[in-house]
Every structure is written in C-alpha cells, then in structure tokens.
Amino acid sequence: MTIDAASPAPPPGLRESKKQETRQLISDVATGLFLAQGFERTTIAEIAAAARVAKKTVTNYFPHKEDLALDHQDAFTASLAATVTGRQAGEPALAALRRAFADAAASADPVAGFSGPGFARMVADSPTLSARLRDLHDLREAALADALADATGTPRDDITPRTAAALLGAVHRTLFQRIQELTLAGQDTARISATVTTEADSAFGLLEPSLAAYAAG
C-alpha cells in the first residue's frame, strides 16, 4: 500500500478565506504606496514586491491599477440602484435616496465620498483616478436608470427613467464632489457631515416638484 504524502487540499471555506486575506493585503499595501508617493508614480511591480507576491498575483486580483485604489467601486456603482430596489413600501425613489444619503452622511460612509484628506488628495492629483471616478458616476447613474425603469414597469430604454436617473445622479455627484472639496479644504468629518446634510436638503428639494411621487414603491 502506498501513502500519499501530499498535503490535502484545504476546504473551500479556507481557500476563500486565504484569497480574501491575500486580496486585502495587496489592497492595503497598494493604498499605503499610493498615499506615500502618488498613484501615478507607483507601479504594479512595486506593489507586488512590497506585498511579497508575484506581479501576476496582483493583476489576477486587480485587473486594472485603478481597481487597487478605488476598491469600493462595486458598492459605489450599485448604491443608488440598491436604495431604489430596497425602498420601503409606498416610498418614492426621491424620498428613499434622500434618506439614504442622510444616513451615509451621518455615518461618514466612504461610498458617499468620506475618504479622508490623504485619499482625496491622491485622487485629485491623479488624472487617471479622476477620470475613472467620472466613469463610476456614469455607471452608477446607468444602474439607477435601470432600477427606476424596473420599479415603474417602464422599458429600460424609455426616456423617463433615464432622465430621472440623470437628475438624481447629478445631485449625488454634486454632493460627492462637495464632500471631497470640503475634505481637501481641511474640514473635519463632523463639520463636513453637518454641512452636506443641510446642503443635501436644498439639493434634493429642487427635485421635489417633478419627482416627489415618482417610482413610489
């Protein structure tokens, strides 16, 4: 009888846990390097060396360099659509999104733009990241348009949900930029949260005449 001396394969749960640990390690190392020397000046090879993994391992987990910096991008692009899909019974989309933003501002949610001064400066100084962030805002708006179409039983290519999403997305884009602006101006999180909460009431209020009852759940 022969004995297989090879180590048994780890259970699926352990394998997934190790993958998540490796991914988080790479992300943390990359963020540290980006903050220290700038996004544009940091290479994938440097990140791999600092994380003690192969360069291919980095690109397997993060196909694009921007993915290493904007690691909340999936949550970001899905956030507005998820709010509409999960809104309360009878709650219009505007009310749901307004409430969700107030909650995000109160908790200083990074997805809403509360990234801290170092990260905000890194993005502002990087043409690549600034361009990618604009793309993410566009993707978030497109996902919101689909969610509004589904919520109202309207074809996804109909102009009404797309227009509503453009208006709602513009408010969120403006508030995100406002948070970044105040962060770069040196204001602390509590003051920023208070400021944008008040400004959000005014911004969302501008949409009430046209969208107050739209897409009521």
Side-chain angles (χ1 to χ4, degrees):
M1 180 179 70
T2 60
I3 299 176
D4 185 358
S7 299
L14 181 58
R15 287 198 300 270
E16 185 59 32
S17 177
K18 294 296 290 183
K19 287 181 180 179
Q20 289 299 322
E21 288 176 6
T22 300
R23 189 182 194 282
Q24 190 62 53
L25 170 64
I26 294 170
S27 176
D28 291 345
V29 168
T31 298
L33 288 173
F34 293 152
L35 293 175
Q37 58 193 37
F39 177 82
E40 306 291 350
R41 291 188 295 274
T42 302
T43 67
I44 296 295
E46 287 176 313
I47 295 168
R52 298 184 178 182
V53 298
K55 183 178 177 181
K56 184 172 178 56
T57 300
V58 175
T59 55
N60 281 342
Y61 283 100
F62 301 93
H64 304 99
K65 185 180 169 185
E66 302 94 294
D67 299 339
L68 285 156
L70 303 173
D71 56 350
H72 292 294
Q73 59 183 321
D74 290 341
F76 179 86
T77 56
S79 59
L80 304 187
T83 296
V84 169
T85 301
R87 70 198 185 286
Q88 300 169 5
E91 184 179 33
L94 175 60
L97 290 165
R98 192 172 191 166
R99 173 177 52 80
F101 181 82
D103 291 344
S107 63
D109 188 348
V111 174
F114 290 87
S115 59
F119 194 89
R121 174 54 58 194
M122 177 188 71
V123 173
D125 289 344
S126 168
T128 302
L129 290 180
S130 295
R132 178 55 180 162
L133 188 55
R134 289 192 293 271
D135 290 342
L136 293 176
H137 279 292
D138 290 343
L139 290 171
R140 182 169 70 162
E141 181 183 309
L144 174 60
D146 286 345
L148 290 172
D150 294 346
T152 57
T154 307
R156 287 190 170 188
D157 61 353
D158 188 90
I159 195 65
T160 301
R162 292 167 65 180
T163 302
L167 294 170
L168 292 162
V171 170
H172 283 86
R173 189 186 302 240
T174 301
L175 291 170
F176 185 98
Q177 292 169 341
R178 181 63 166 151
I179 293 168
Q180 297 288 289
E181 172 188 315
L182 295 174
T183 299
L184 292 173
Q187 293 192 16
D188 62 40
T189 299
R191 185 177 175 189
I192 295 171
S193 178
T195 298
V196 297
T197 297
T198 299
E199 293 178 343
D201 283 339
S202 297
F204 284 114
L206 293 172
L207 302 184
E208 286 184 353
S210 57
L211 295 178
Y214 179 69

